[in-house]
Amino acid sequence: MAVLEKIRVKFGLAISIIIALALLSFIIDPSTLQTVAQTMSSKNDVGNIAGKSISYSDFLSDIDRYKTINEIVTGSSVQNEQTSRQIRNAAWQELVDKYLFIKNAKAAGIGVGDEEMVALTTGDAISPVIAQNPMFLDQNGQFSKENVVEFVRNIGNDPSGNLRLYWDYVQNTAFTQQYYAKYGSLFTNSYYQNALQAETEMAQNNTKAKVDFVLAPYSYAQDSTIKVSSADVKAYYKAHKKFYRQNASRDIEYVVFEVIPSAEDINAANEAMAAVYDEFGSTDNMKAFLLRNSERQLSDYWYKAGELNTVNSEINAFVFGNAEGASPVIRSGNSFYAAKVMEKANIPDSVYVKHILLASGKEGRHLADSLLGVVRRGANFSATAAVYSADQGSMADGEIGNIGWMTQTYMIPGFESVLTAETGKPYIIETRYGTHVVLVSKKTAPVAKKRVAILEKTALASEATFNEYYAKANKFASIASGSFDGYRKAVDSLGVYSHQMNITEATSTYGSVDNAKEITRWAFDAKENKSSEIITVNQNFFFIAALKSIHKEGYAPISEVSASISQILYSEARKAKAKEEVAAKIAGLKSIDEVATALNSTANKDQEISFSAMSAQMDPAALGAMFNAPLNTISGPVAGAAGTYVFIVNSRETESFYTADDARMMNSQKAQYSAQMILPVMMDDADVKDNRARFF
């Protein structure tokens, strides 16, 4: 138990360390993984990876394993939505690695053997997964192989099997990371730039030119002479169909009625605050009082100046303005606060703690009393801990019994008193783990802090208010009568704002309202041109949604994309026509001024441009043409994004600011960028289907 608790102290709530897949150089954000190829497989499958169907029940088992790892680290089975999402992403990533990435890496001739794993875990080539693991760091934040060995040694003494589960997880992560490192190295080192390529890149990036040019912008007016036929659209669609691959989505509209406390509700909260305010200022049992009357319970936390701003800036100003008694009632939005300083002290931010862990109950307490006397008379604390302590795993600085530095954030539950304990004076603490003889041996510099009681009451909507908003939503739903046309009629007749949104199965947030997946589920089960009944979200939002159109997974039908294709074809035709017209107007002209006059535009003279790959100062089409154009000759026209260019390159100069090192660095950056696409490309090639959003 002590070893598990040490993990929790070391890690705190940093579950992002436990879901350590971010350590892998080439793993991308899970949201990107989802959009690479989110397509449908079996209705009961979470997904399909390289031909392997992932059933919902199997995926739940993987999630449960990661939940256990989370509980081992945090000491809590409570999980918010963010943590749950991280756990699901980690479980999915493990499956992608197992069934796709490692399989492909092995096919490329890469392997990780048993001897290599020994070197990665306890040998001379420690994996970053272990070297950066807070559990295995010493008091200076440096990796300690001794901590790893001690952890492994304790696995056999853990009847729960949790240490074994965690160690297996760490080893598997190190194993997978090694495949990523090797595959990435193979990929990036093969991104070779020969001498000719490097020389060409240096020449391009070291070239500057002085240019005169005229830009004839395209007209904003629609050109009625340019016609795009349906045959043209179909031909373009056929040639570019891969660009019109789409995930399943829905176009919906929705209205939302938020239940907001009325003026009467706010006044009721204010009156409730006033009714207990005097008792708040005079009670002798603040813990019991807040338990009965406040939404915020009494905390043992010692606040420094400024920290209470997270609650309310006026509360912070009162507490650290040396005011006495209870603060005035402070309103912030629909909440009311009052504060009272319970204690003042100079408290260090961290303390160095040693302990001897003994059994609970009378026997443990009796032995603790005896050992307390022994260490007070000068016995070596570490030697005593080595003989009597049940926790032989706490060995900060190499001494048994040393837990190490503790703060308010990283604290074993029940050890809070160590922050105010006297240095060098051992004492006894009872926790859920047993009886402890505790010694604080060092402290950081003390800081003025205060322990504060906060009375908080927030106005809640009364039943009458709730019913009022529900009646509004119900009236809207009645007019809508289950159809999209009825929905639009309700919007117009009641003057309610209708939100428009394209959603996927992953959508769970609507505007500022989170955890609204029920709306998404309705939309993906409903038929087109239907409206919903009232959908209640978070108990205080009433939604009515209408399904406008359905976009099935696969290729967007030509009817949905014909408008955008027509615009692309029109734009291309307009550019070609403008180019022909400009060419006719400038035929035979000898100077850039004559060109400007003919095009009713302005000549931009002696413009210095760079052909550097890092330059973005001009339209790429014009820039490319200028790089290859002859000197002192009118060139063009060139069709750019904004208009048609005609130009004269007056001079070119080659400098030397872009070196061979710059070329190598640019090539390395290109390799790294390309390496980031390894997994997405693999997933796309394997047609990975991620349907988690359907279930979670």
Side-chain angles (χ1 to χ4, degrees):
M1 177 60 72
V3 175
L4 291 180
E5 187 56 41
K6 185 177 180 183
I7 296 176
R8 293 163 188 160
V9 171
K10 288 278 188 179
F11 278 93
L13 297 177
I15 189 61
S16 59
I17 300 296
I18 296 310
I19 311 304
L21 299 172
L23 291 172
L24 308 181
S25 302
F26 306 104
I27 288 189
I28 59 175
D29 182 68
S31 63
T32 305
L33 300 182
Q34 182 174 327
T35 57
V36 170
Q38 185 184 8
T39 55
M40 303 288 281
S41 62
S42 167
K43 193 70 174 177
N44 297 319
D45 287 343
V46 172
N48 187 292
I49 302 173
K52 171 67 176 177
S53 294
I54 311 300
S55 71
Y56 178 70
S57 59
D58 287 346
F59 190 60
L60 281 185
S61 297
D62 292 335
I63 289 174
D64 287 341
R65 179 161 50 85
Y66 274 92
K67 284 182 178 178
T68 301
I69 294 171
N70 178 43
E71 292 175 16
I72 290 171
V73 175
T74 65
S76 172
S77 60
V78 178
Q79 295 161 0
N80 58 28
E81 176 56 31
Q82 180 181 2
T83 301
S84 297
R85 185 165 54 251
Q86 288 177 326
I87 288 173
R88 293 195 298 269
N89 287 338
W92 176 256
Q93 182 64 59
E94 183 181 55
L95 293 170
V96 171
D97 292 336
K98 179 179 179 180
Y99 294 121
L100 179 64
F101 179 77
I102 292 178
K103 176 183 175 182
N104 286 349
K106 287 181 177 178
I110 296 171
V112 177
D114 293 340
E115 292 184 3
E116 188 173 0
M117 280 303 299
V118 172
L120 289 169
T121 53
T122 57
D124 299 326
I126 300 297
S127 166
V129 174
I130 295 176
Q132 298 174 21
N133 190 315
M135 178 56 199
F136 307 131
L137 305 182
D138 61 19
Q139 69 278 5
N140 297 317
Q142 301 299 313
F143 170 72
S144 169
K145 190 181 297 184
E146 290 74 18
N147 285 358
V148 178
V149 174
E150 187 64 28
F151 181 92
V152 175
R153 187 180 299 150
N154 276 280
I155 290 176
N157 300 324
D158 173 31
S160 72
N162 286 339
L163 291 184
R164 166 57 63 189
L165 175 66
Y166 179 68
W167 180 241
D168 287 346
Y169 166 78
V170 170
Q171 289 186 102
N172 182 65
T173 305
F175 176 78
T176 303
Q177 191 274 341
Q178 189 70 352
Y179 270 104
Y180 271 97
K182 288 185 175 183
Y183 197 101
S185 178
L186 176 68
F187 190 88
T188 55
N189 288 334
S190 65
Y191 203 93
Y192 177 71
Q193 184 183 52
N194 61 39
L196 179 59
Q197 290 173 317
E199 183 179 339
T200 300
E201 182 176 327
M202 290 171 60
Q204 291 174 343
N205 283 276
N206 280 320
T207 300
K208 288 188 175 182
K210 286 192 175 181
V211 179
D212 298 340
F213 72 88
V214 174
L215 172 62
Y218 300 127
S219 172
Y220 289 105
Q222 190 75 11
D223 189 337
S224 60
T225 67
I226 298 176
K227 304 295 183 181
V228 177
S229 69
S230 59
D232 294 334
V233 172
K234 289 179 181 179
Y236 185 93
Y237 177 80
K238 183 177 180 180
H240 300 83
K241 192 172 181 179
K242 65 180 180 179
F243 296 111
Y244 295 101
R245 184 74 179 265
Q246 65 180 13
N247 296 324
S249 67
R250 303 290 186 267
D251 291 326
I252 70 167
E253 293 190 28
Y254 68 90
V255 296
V256 58
F257 298 87
E258 180 182 1
V259 180
I260 300 173
S262 65
E264 291 78 8
D265 298 331
I266 295 172
N267 186 58
N270 189 25
E271 290 177 353
M273 188 78 167
V276 298
Y277 176 78
D278 290 341
E279 185 180 355
F280 173 67
S282 61
T283 183
D284 294 327
N285 190 342
M286 185 61 76
K287 183 175 182 179
F289 170 82
L290 293 179
L291 199 61
R292 293 193 314 270
N293 299 290
S294 177
E295 295 164 21
R296 188 184 295 266
Q297 305 309 304
L298 187 63
S299 170
D300 290 326
Y301 191 88
W302 290 88
Y303 291 93
K304 292 191 292 188
E307 289 185 329
L308 280 168
N309 284 326
T310 58
V311 178
N312 181 276
S313 59
E314 293 180 65
I315 290 290
N316 186 79
F318 172 85
V319 168
F320 294 99
N322 298 316
E324 299 294 332
S327 74
V329 174
I330 298 167
R331 178 180 174 182
S332 178
N334 293 335
S335 296
F336 297 87
Y337 300 93
K340 181 180 179 181
V341 176
M342 303 301 293
E343 291 183 78
K344 304 176 184 179
N346 290 324
I347 304 292
D349 286 333
S350 57
V351 295
Y352 195 93
V353 181
K354 305 180 179 186
H355 84 140
I356 301 170
L357 175 62
L358 306 170
S360 301
K362 292 183 179 179
E363 292 185 6
R365 179 69 193 210
H366 179 74
L367 180 56
D369 288 336
S370 299
L371 295 180
L372 181 64
V374 170
V375 295
R376 280 181 174 176
R377 289 191 292 272
N380 183 277
F381 195 95
S382 180
T384 307
V387 176
Y388 293 100
S389 181
D391 177 16
Q392 297 293 306
S394 295
M395 294 183 60
D397 299 319
E399 293 187 3
I400 294 177
N402 287 15
I403 297 176
W405 290 98
M406 283 188 175
T407 68
Q408 290 190 89
T409 304
Y410 298 100
M411 176 70 62
I412 295 175
F415 266 59
E416 290 78 11
S417 62
V418 297
L419 291 170
T420 54
E422 185 177 338
T423 304
K425 185 175 181 180
Y427 68 106
I428 294 173
I429 291 177
E430 299 279 354
T431 74
R432 62 186 178 184
Y433 306 114
T435 305
H436 310 252
V437 178
V438 176
L439 175 67
V440 174
S441 61
K442 293 182 285 186
K443 297 181 178 181
T444 56
V447 180
K449 298 183 181 181
K450 298 181 180 182
R451 200 164 66 87
V452 182
I454 300 174
L455 174 62
E456 178 181 348
K457 286 188 178 292
T458 299
L460 301 176
S462 64
E463 183 177 354
T465 301
F466 186 92
N467 290 338
E468 177 185 346
Y469 281 94
Y470 187 86
K472 292 179 180 179
N474 189 56
K475 183 177 181 180
F476 186 100
S478 297
I479 297 173
S481 299
S483 71
F484 184 81
D485 290 341
Y487 173 91
R488 292 305 315 171
K489 179 180 178 182
V491 169
D492 294 338
S493 62
L494 298 179
V496 180
Y497 180 74
S498 179
H499 303 262
Q500 298 186 24
M501 193 170 178
N502 175 265
I503 64 172
T504 68
E505 283 189 298
T507 303
S508 61
T509 298
Y510 289 78
S512 61
V513 183
D514 296 324
N515 304 318
K517 198 65 176 286
E518 190 61 33
I519 301 168
T520 303
R521 293 191 180 99
W522 173 86
F524 274 81
D525 288 336
K527 294 182 179 179
E528 200 169 275
N529 294 319
K530 294 294 184 180
S531 67
S532 72
E533 297 294 333
I534 297 172
I535 301 173
T536 304
V537 176
N538 301 332
Q539 298 184 333
N540 63 330
F541 294 95
F542 301 129
F543 282 79
I544 296 95
L547 180 55
K548 189 174 182 180
S549 57
I550 294 174
H551 305 286
K552 294 182 179 180
E553 190 245 350
Y555 293 100
I558 193 170
S559 59
E560 291 186 3
V561 298
S562 60
S564 62
I565 292 177
S566 294
Q567 185 58 42
I568 292 172
L569 294 176
Y570 170 83
S571 178
E572 291 178 351
R574 181 187 63 176
K575 289 181 180 180
K577 182 179 179 181
K579 183 177 177 180
E580 291 178 0
E581 291 174 343
V582 167
K585 291 179 180 179
I586 67 171
L589 300 182
K590 303 298 184 183
S591 72
I592 200 70
D593 289 323
E594 291 177 323
V595 169
T597 300
L599 298 179
N600 194 28
S601 186
T602 303
N604 298 275
K605 294 186 176 181
D606 288 329
Q607 300 296 306
E608 187 175 86
I609 63 171
S610 169
F611 296 105
S612 168
M614 296 173 286
S615 174
Q617 60 183 327
M618 184 169 285
D619 189 301
L623 192 66
M626 292 172 183
F627 182 79
N628 293 295
L631 294 176
N632 303 312
T633 303
I634 292 180
S635 300
V638 174
T644 306
Y645 290 85
V646 179
F647 58 89
I648 296 176
V649 179
N650 299 316
S651 65
R652 288 195 189 93
E653 295 180 359
T654 301
E655 300 180 347
S656 58
F657 63 89
Y658 192 90
T659 66
D661 287 340
D662 293 324
R664 283 191 291 269
M665 182 178 294
M666 177 65 72
N667 191 60
S668 176
Q669 290 174 350
K670 291 177 182 177
Q672 291 176 10
Y673 174 78
S674 298
Q676 293 175 2
M677 298 305 297
I678 290 175
L679 196 58
V681 170
M682 283 185 181
M683 294 175 70
D684 188 48
D685 183 64
D687 195 23
V688 171
K689 297 175 175 63
D690 181 359
N691 302 322
R692 286 178 293 156
R694 187 187 303 162
F695 301 93
F696 302 98

